[in-house]
Amino acid sequence: MLFLAVALYFLLACLISFMVLFPAGRAFALRMLARAGARLRGWFGKAEHVRGQSVAAIRQSGSASAHEAGNFLRRHYLLVIGGVVLVSVPPLIALFSGGSSLGGYVESTRQMDTQVADLLEGENLVPPPPLPPMLFATVEVEQERPMIVSASRDWSLMNPAYTQRLLQAFKIMKERHGYDMAILEGYRSPERQNKLAAMGSSVTNAAAFQSWHQYGLAADCAFVRNGKIVISEKDPWAMRGYELYGEVAESLGLTWGGRWKMMDFGHTELRLPGVMKRR
């Protein structure tokens, strides 16, 4: 069945190439269509005694057309052979180079990130020791993140699925890019969310239960350099870190706040279906 389809495709391609590439082919096709129309009109419009004469005329015209086509092939046989080869090569390659199936696919040879593979296989990472509270009480940190001193950084209050991805991101950022990371805020109560929302859109646009923080599926993070928390993206080193962090987080299936209209470079979240119906 497959060989029959290839053969039909080959014949059709040759016919089309003959009509498209050569003016004589187009003229020949038009003449054949005109004669076919004449035949139909003759069959339905003439009496029985005239039909015999029409058949004879059609046979004669068909013989003349065949003779004309033969002359054309003899005059332009090199072009015809070239066209046949050109048209026949693709189906032949498809037929004989694809193994036993023409409709199969080539399996991707791209290797999965080994650290992501470890995560999917169930590697259980442990949260790092908590940082001293005084690191979050500096003027620089307070300017960037109001009320961050009272924020929760308790890993146990967050969803385990998100926690493992976030810890994996921390690990990759350290081992691959040399950035130490710290969590600024993980779980956030509805009351705290409303307080932050009351401070204006420069802090957050989300009210209570409109943020993934209330479900333990989001966290705000920053970097640690020389024993200090570095948050501001005005710092080129930190900005480069946020870009890398976004790439790593997204590779782990997390949503990165750096792509939002109101960009939040240190924010990531895991949007599990059925948790928040409307955001």
Side-chain angles (χ1 to χ4, degrees):
M1 190 67 181
L2 180 60
F3 288 99
L4 178 61
V6 173
L8 291 175
Y9 168 78
F10 172 74
L11 294 175
L12 181 61
C14 289
L15 179 60
I16 294 175
S17 298
F18 175 63
M19 291 188 294
V20 172
L21 296 177
F22 307 107
R26 293 193 293 271
F28 174 74
L30 292 175
R31 284 196 300 271
M32 293 300 294
L33 289 175
R35 288 166 182 166
R39 292 175 190 175
L40 292 176
R41 289 193 299 270
W43 287 343
F44 294 101
K46 295 183 179 180
E48 185 66 28
H49 67 280
V50 180
R51 184 177 305 172
Q53 299 177 355
S54 298
V55 170
I58 290 172
R59 289 177 179 175
Q60 183 178 0
S61 64
S63 177
S65 298
H67 179 70
E68 182 180 351
N71 290 334
F72 175 82
L73 291 175
R74 284 192 294 271
R75 291 195 303 268
H76 305 285
Y77 69 94
L78 291 178
L79 291 176
V80 173
I81 293 174
V84 169
V85 172
L86 182 64
V87 173
S88 61
V89 166
L92 293 176
I93 292 177
L95 178 63
F96 295 109
S97 67
S100 59
S101 173
L102 288 175
Y105 62 91
V106 178
E107 186 175 354
S108 174
T109 57
R110 181 181 177 183
Q111 298 296 320
M112 179 181 292
D113 189 304
T114 55
Q115 300 198 54
V116 176
D118 289 340
L119 172 65
L120 297 177
E121 289 175 3
E123 181 185 12
N124 189 24
L125 299 177
V126 178
L131 295 174
M134 66 180 66
L135 294 183
F136 304 92
T138 64
V139 176
E140 293 81 1
V141 172
E142 182 65 24
Q143 288 177 344
E144 296 292 334
R145 291 283 177 158
M147 299 175 57
I148 203 66
V149 176
S150 57
S152 170
R153 288 174 282 276
D154 188 345
W155 290 84
S156 65
L157 297 179
M158 295 191 294
N159 185 289
Y162 173 67
T163 296
Q164 285 301 307
R165 283 166 173 76
L166 187 60
L167 289 172
Q168 192 72 20
F170 278 25
K171 179 180 180 181
I172 295 174
M173 286 296 294
K174 174 63 176 178
E175 296 180 354
R176 189 175 299 176
H177 303 298
Y179 281 84
D180 287 309
M181 298 200 67
I183 184 171
L184 300 176
E185 181 171 15
Y187 170 77
R188 184 184 296 161
S189 68
E191 295 77 18
R192 177 177 171 81
Q193 186 69 47
N194 281 333
K195 289 181 181 179
L196 293 175
M199 298 176 69
S201 59
S202 60
V203 178
T204 181
N205 287 320
F209 297 109
Q210 294 178 343
S211 169
W212 292 95
H213 281 281
Q214 274 83 80
Y215 305 92
L217 289 168
D220 300 321
C221 301
F223 308 104
V224 180
R225 181 179 61 187
N226 299 327
K228 295 182 179 181
I229 301 292
V230 182
I231 299 177
S232 176
E233 60 269 19
K234 296 178 182 179
D235 185 314
W237 175 85
M239 189 62 231
R240 177 56 181 161
Y242 284 129
E243 293 173 350
L244 295 170
Y245 179 55
E247 294 176 2
V248 171
E250 289 178 339
S251 73
L252 294 168
L254 301 177
T255 298
W256 178 47
R259 297 197 183 277
W260 297 345
K261 184 176 180 180
M262 192 180 83
M263 293 179 288
D264 192 353
F265 293 106
H267 179 95
T268 59
E269 57 192 35
L270 178 61
R271 298 184 175 184
L272 295 180
V275 175
M276 187 189 302
K277 296 183 179 179
R278 183 175 61 87
R279 179 174 166 82

